[in-house]
Amino acid sequence: MACAARVLAAPTVDVTQHESRDIVKRTVPAAPRFVIYSDEWVSGESGPPAVSEVAGYNVFALSFLLLSGPADQAVEWASLSSSDRSTIKSQYNSAGISLIVSAFGSTDAPTSEGADPVATANTMAAWVIEYDLDGIDVDYEDFNAMDSSSSAAETWLITFTQQLRSQLPQGQYIITHAPVAPWFSPNSAWAGGGYLKVDQEVGSLIDWYNVQFYNQGTTEYTTCTNLLTTSGGSYPGSSLFEIASNGVSLDKLVIGKPGNSGDADSGYIAPATLAGCVEQAKNQGWDAGVMVWEFPDAAASWISTVRSEAFPV
């Protein structure tokens, strides 16, 4: 994923001050999850689009909340009046769509930059609560840390997730992660075990994974076969069902794809073709859902097509 930068300072909020907020509405959507990210500036828009534009999704991720504070769609959300946020939130929740914020993206490298995982988790959880969102997505893209000869990336993610969940209780708030698919492969390149280690340690605290099956290699994850059963290429063992065979719960593996060929360097599959892949996966016992990067290149018509054969709207 990518990120621009219109940044405001992150507020300092005592999470305990908000424990009395109504949490009945903060339910974690059951599978299948259909997730759309929004980072791009859209002319004439301030805040999330009308729910009709994202019909067929049940999670909308405002991107991004950075180490320095909110940017792009997250900053638009923070800039709205509390009454406007409340109205939009009510409209989204009434339509069955959870509103979350996505953290980090390609701008931040929290481990390499020396960010403290506990303090960062506390600040970000407080922001979620202060701005009345349903949860947070951890789009960690610190490739240098993950590629290093240490386990610094995995340790950072484990500590961060533990602290985040301590502030955002399970069943009341959504916590997802959005790793690239190769990080789930049993590859010695990940000295600390990659996301298999993260899943082993804190997978029970993570509601699901928005797996980025794109931006890796040139032809990886571009057919139903190398997306679902045999990745091959530069990242063996990282297709959907191979990740599950590596020990990750199949029902937590949401298939992530770009909305069009310009939204990623590689990995694009046309929506009608992807619909067939999704149907194949469902026929093999998977029902976790689909994620897309990003609105407005993907919207209601995109997800309607992708869902058409397995999960018609």
Side-chain angles (χ1 to χ4, degrees):
M1 297 177 192
C3 178
R6 296 195 303 279
V7 181
L8 292 180
T12 300
V13 180
D14 181 359
V15 175
T16 60
Q17 294 177 358
H18 301 275
E19 288 180 347
S20 62
R21 285 180 182 263
D22 177 19
I23 58 175
V24 175
K25 63 186 176 182
R26 300 185 191 282
T27 56
V28 177
R33 286 92 180 211
F34 299 105
V35 184
I36 184 166
Y37 288 79
S38 178
D39 175 62
E40 185 175 331
W41 180 78
V42 178
S43 179
E45 181 185 280
S46 179
V51 292
S52 60
E53 295 187 55
V54 290
Y57 294 96
N58 53 21
V59 181
F60 189 91
L62 301 160
S63 308
F64 284 95
L65 181 58
L66 305 178
L67 294 171
S68 56
D72 303 333
Q73 291 303 310
V75 85
E76 284 195 11
W77 180 252
S79 299
L80 294 171
S81 68
S82 59
S83 61
D84 284 347
R85 286 196 301 269
S86 179
T87 297
I88 294 168
K89 183 70 162 39
S90 177
Q91 291 170 344
Y92 267 67
N93 288 164
S94 295
I97 305 173
S98 298
L99 272 171
I100 66 174
V101 69
S102 186
F104 308 128
S106 63
T107 294
D108 282 341
T111 306
S112 298
E113 293 173 35
D116 179 84
V118 172
T120 302
N122 286 339
T123 298
M124 290 188 165
W127 197 91
V128 168
I129 293 169
E130 175 68 9
Y131 289 99
D132 195 27
L133 293 173
D134 295 312
I136 187 168
D137 172 71
V138 181
D139 181 14
Y140 179 94
E141 299 190 23
D142 193 342
F143 288 91
N144 287 337
M146 191 65 78
D147 291 345
S148 74
S149 58
S150 74
S151 60
E154 293 88 346
T155 299
W156 197 97
L157 281 163
I158 290 165
T159 302
F160 177 76
T161 303
Q162 289 170 333
Q163 187 62 23
L164 201 61
R165 183 52 88 188
S166 76
Q167 303 301 305
L168 302 174
Q170 203 145 24
Q172 299 173 13
Y173 288 91
I174 298 166
I175 293 180
T176 60
H177 282 224
V180 296
W183 286 351
F184 280 114
S185 64
N187 189 322
S188 59
W190 325 128
Y195 251 86
L196 293 180
K197 177 64 174 178
V198 174
D199 182 69
Q200 289 166 6
E201 295 296 324
V202 292
S204 63
L205 306 181
I206 298 168
D207 292 304
W208 70 84
Y209 298 103
N210 296 308
V211 186
Q212 296 185 50
F213 287 104
Y214 53 90
N215 281 343
Q216 308 301 309
T218 55
T219 61
E220 281 75 6
Y221 318 121
T222 55
T223 69
C224 292
T225 296
N226 62 29
L227 171 64
L228 300 180
T229 58
T230 310
S231 61
S234 302
Y235 307 107
S238 63
S239 67
L240 177 70
F241 286 99
E242 287 174 315
I243 293 172
S245 70
N246 295 336
V248 182
S249 295
L250 184 61
D251 61 3
K252 287 189 174 184
L253 298 175
V254 171
I255 295 172
K257 280 293 177 185
N260 65 33
S261 58
D263 283 332
D265 293 332
S266 62
Y268 174 70
I269 297 179
T273 303
L274 182 58
C277 301
V278 169
E279 182 184 32
Q280 287 183 36
K282 184 184 180 186
N283 290 341
Q284 296 178 59
W286 165 93
D287 70 347
V290 176
M291 169 273 278
V292 65
W293 174 265
E294 67 172 321
F295 182 85
D297 296 333
S301 62
W302 189 95
I303 195 62
S304 177
T305 299
V306 170
R307 292 180 58 169
S308 62
E309 298 184 31
F311 308 100
V313 178

